[in-house]
Amino acid sequence: DSPAFRGGVLPGDLILSYNGHPIQKTNDLPIMVANSPLGSEAVLEVLRKGEKKKLSVKIVSQSETF
């Protein structure tokens, strides 16, 4: 029940970009999320089964994820 899952991200999805910024290294995404304002919406581009999809995910604090 993570924010990513609620936004439509599924196991096996490859996250290609965050708000239009490409994800090039494993640690890029956590840094980008940490620098985003709480309550804002982020657009993720994911690759799912060979098809690109755009998903909207709400940024929340870690305490709200559990």
Side-chain angles (χ1 to χ4, degrees):
D1 194 31
S2 71
F5 183 77
R6 284 179 275 186
V9 179
L10 299 177
D13 285 353
L14 176 64
I15 299 173
L16 302 174
S17 69
Y18 180 86
N19 285 337
H21 299 281
I23 305 297
Q24 298 176 346
K25 296 180 276 181
T26 305
N27 62 343
D28 285 350
L29 183 61
I31 293 168
M32 291 176 180
V33 172
N35 288 322
S36 298
L38 293 176
S40 66
E41 295 282 327
V43 176
L44 302 178
E45 182 178 31
V46 302
L47 184 64
R48 179 182 299 159
K49 297 182 181 178
E51 188 176 324
K52 290 182 181 179
K53 296 185 176 286
K54 289 193 177 183
L55 307 171
S56 182
V57 177
K58 186 174 181 181
I59 305 301
V60 298
S61 71
Q62 284 187 329
S63 63
E64 293 179 56
T65 62
F66 300 104

